[in-house]
Amino acid sequence: MRSVAAALAAATAAVLALAACGNGTGGSKEDTGTLTEIDYYEAAPQNTQLPKLLDECGAQVGVKIGHQQVPRAQFMPKLLQQASSRSLPDLALVDNPDLPQLAATGGLVALKDLSTDGLYPSIVAAGKYKGDTYGIAPGVNGLALYYNQDLFAQAGLQAPKTWDELTAAAKALTKANRYGIAFSAVGTEEGSFQFEPFFWTAGASLSRLDSPEAVKALRLWKDLVEARAASKSVVTWTQADVNDQFMAGNAAMMVNGPWQLPTLNKRQDLKFGIVPIPIPSPTAKPVTPLGGEMWTVGHSNPQREAKALAVLKCLLSQDKSLEWSKAAGYIPSNQAAAQQLAQSDPQLSAFVEEVATAQARTAELGTAYPKASEALFNAIQACLAGGKSPEEALKAAQASVG
């Protein structure tokens, strides 16, 4: 998961500064033997594995693919400038909450001719804008509940499935300098992302931030902090900080994503399990936010677009989806590949289980999502750090979005 509000704010400020730039990805619109691709991966394994997959799929289609990596802060400004001049790359891998803004420019190809058979409907739905599909993710990430198995065994506890069980376990496992649970309530998109599983599972909607369901979800977090079952410092912790607290034994549980597994698995002395995010009641529907990036195709000419779609079809195939997800720490969008991954790697089974009912952050509001997200993480801060009640904080949040 990456910050949306900050990226979009940077995009607005920097578009004009980039107006004089070309697409910079190599090739021309007339050269159908070379396609262009752009993404923002700066670190391994993504930035090493992606060019390899692109070369393999390009070879299948009979094209070379010019790969370009742009720093995250510059990525959306560059794409928006290119969209305005109709010079988008043939393929771009964009953060899924950024998709509506990019699709609204008219610079993307609607993926009507691309089969989505075998893909999770929730993931396909995440790539829609005004009824048409403009992006499809090869893999996604999300959030689940990690728990320290040794601490749970010592306390005679089972992994929680409901909010009541979560609260009871968090309180029981809070001892001295150890908190029962850690989560990120930081004042950025990261905080909204971590809160949304509780917010949506309670039945709340981003179109009404101060609903009784939303209040119920925020009260859960506030009660955990006030009971000292969660640290007051959650308002400053990023997801990386949360992982550090869990690894150090300062938290018995944490809310986090699959991207933490490589670091966690290096600790041979840390025994942990992973279960889906607890739900308010046994009959509640679990809903977690989808994280990850989507492939898009930029408008060019029919020949180039057809070849770009053929490459995209390759990238979304069962074997490539599985290969990419294993390398990047994601869950494949292809259902068969996801089940295959869950069977081969039980640590990912909770994340796979959640994908079927997961939801894109922009599903309700589209391009208005960043404003609602900012209002939501400000409400979380006002409640957990500022002393406001959940009702007061969320009422102010709703008023700020109109």
Side-chain angles (χ1 to χ4, degrees), residues 283-297:
T283 58
K285 177 186 176 183
V287 186
T288 57
L290 287 171
E293 295 76 30
M294 295 184 171
W295 282 115
T296 62
V297 174

Side-chain angles (χ1 to χ4, degrees), residues 304-317:
R304 292 181 70 90
E305 290 173 8
K307 290 186 176 182
L309 288 169
V311 171
L312 182 49
K313 181 180 179 181
C314 171
L315 291 168
L316 295 173
S317 65

Side-chain angles (χ1 to χ4, degrees), residues 161-163 201 216 278-285:
K161 296 181 179 179
T162 66
W163 286 7
T201 300
K216 180 180 179 181
I279 52 181
S281 69
T283 58
K285 177 186 176 183

Side-chain angles (χ1 to χ4, degrees), residues 61-82:
V61 176
V63 296
K64 293 182 179 180
I65 301 177
H67 167 75
Q68 184 186 23
Q69 176 271 317
V70 174
R72 182 67 176 97
Q74 300 172 23
F75 186 73
M76 277 302 289
K78 185 175 183 68
L79 287 185
L80 291 172
Q81 183 275 324
Q82 291 172 332

Side-chain angles (χ1 to χ4, degrees), residues 67-107:
H67 167 75
Q68 184 186 23
Q69 176 271 317
V70 174
R72 182 67 176 97
Q74 300 172 23
F75 186 73
M76 277 302 289
K78 185 175 183 68
L79 287 185
L80 291 172
Q81 183 275 324
Q82 291 172 332
S84 68
S85 61
R86 292 297 186 265
S87 60
L88 280 169
D90 298 295
L91 293 161
L93 196 55
V94 304
D95 199 10
N96 74 71
D98 291 337
L99 179 73
Q101 187 186 29
L102 193 57
T105 67

Side-chain angles (χ1 to χ4, degrees), residues 338-351:
Q339 294 302 321
Q340 185 179 346
L341 184 60
Q343 291 172 7
S344 65
D345 188 349
Q347 287 185 326
L348 295 172
S349 60
F351 296 102

Side-chain angles (χ1 to χ4, degrees), residues 30-390:
E30 292 73 28
D31 177 14
T32 57
T34 301
L35 299 182
T36 58
E37 182 273 344
I38 192 170
D39 60 76
Y40 53 65
Y41 292 136
E42 298 182 79
Q46 288 93 336
N47 70 342
T48 56
Q49 292 300 311
L50 183 57
K52 176 176 174 287
L53 287 175
L54 288 169
D55 287 345
E56 292 172 356
C57 286
Q60 285 189 25
V61 176
V63 296
K64 293 182 179 180
I65 301 177
H67 167 75
Q68 184 186 23
Q69 176 271 317
V70 174
R72 182 67 176 97
Q74 300 172 23
F75 186 73
M76 277 302 289
K78 185 175 183 68
L79 287 185
L80 291 172
Q81 183 275 324
Q82 291 172 332
S84 68
S85 61
R86 292 297 186 265
S87 60
L88 280 169
D90 298 295
L91 293 161
L93 196 55
V94 304
D95 199 10
N96 74 71
D98 291 337
L99 179 73
Q101 187 186 29
L102 193 57
T105 67
L108 297 180
V109 175
L111 306 178
K112 297 177 181 179
D113 297 329
L114 189 69
S115 173
T116 57
D117 292 346
L119 305 184
Y120 282 101
S122 59
I123 295 176
V124 175
K128 289 186 178 295
Y129 174 73
K130 292 188 175 180
D132 286 325
T133 300
Y134 288 95
I136 299 181
V140 296
N141 58 52
L143 295 168
L145 184 75
Y146 290 71
Y147 66 99
N148 186 305
Q149 292 175 320
D150 286 337
L151 295 177
F152 268 70
Q154 292 167 15
L157 296 170
Q158 299 294 318
K161 296 181 179 179
T162 66
W163 286 7
D164 286 345
E165 292 174 357
L166 177 70
T167 300
K171 291 179 178 179
L173 292 166
T174 297
K175 305 287 183 182
N177 294 326
R178 185 186 72 217
Y179 293 95
I181 187 170
F183 47 81
S184 174
V186 68
T188 67
E189 167 65 16
E190 210 163 340
S192 297
F193 182 73
Q194 285 249 320
F195 183 61
E196 282 163 349
F198 302 92
F199 181 86
W200 282 333
T201 300
S205 168
L206 291 171
S207 61
R208 187 187 168 193
L209 298 178
D210 60 347
S211 69
E213 294 82 3
V215 169
K216 180 180 179 181
L218 188 51
R219 183 173 290 119
L220 171 69
W221 274 22
K222 187 174 181 66
D223 287 349
L224 287 168
V225 172
E226 289 189 340
R228 298 183 62 80
S231 172
K232 292 182 179 179
S233 297
V234 296
V235 295
T236 65
W237 286 349
T238 66
Q239 293 175 118
D241 296 328
V242 168
N243 192 55
D244 288 343
Q245 294 296 323
F246 183 73
M247 289 180 63
N250 297 329
M253 295 179 284
M254 72 167 176
V255 177
N256 229 315
W259 56 85
Q260 305 292 6
L261 286 169
T263 302
L264 289 166
N265 286 332
K266 291 179 181 178
R267 285 284 303 274
Q268 299 298 318
D269 59 332
L270 179 62
K271 295 181 180 179
F272 62 91
I274 309 171
V275 294
I277 297 289
I279 52 181
S281 69
T283 58
K285 177 186 176 183
V287 186
T288 57
L290 287 171
E293 295 76 30
M294 295 184 171
W295 282 115
T296 62
V297 174
H299 274 301
S300 54
N301 61 52
Q303 292 78 18
R304 292 181 70 90
E305 290 173 8
K307 290 186 176 182
L309 288 169
V311 171
L312 182 49
K313 181 180 179 181
C314 171
L315 291 168
L316 295 173
S317 65
Q318 182 175 342
D319 60 334
K320 297 302 182 188
S321 179
L322 181 60
E323 184 179 347
W324 169 247
S325 295
K326 282 183 175 180
Y330 283 12
I331 304 303
S333 297
N334 182 284
Q335 295 185 62
Q339 294 302 321
Q340 185 179 346
L341 184 60
Q343 291 172 7
S344 65
D345 188 349
Q347 287 185 326
L348 295 172
S349 60
F351 296 102
V352 172
E353 181 181 338
E354 291 175 330
V355 169
T357 54
Q359 179 172 298
R361 283 165 277 172
T362 57
E364 293 181 83
L365 302 179
T367 55
Y369 171 76
K371 186 176 181 180
S373 173
E374 182 177 6
L376 188 59
F377 65 65
N378 284 337
I380 295 168
Q381 290 273 306
C383 182
L384 302 188
K388 286 189 175 182
S389 69

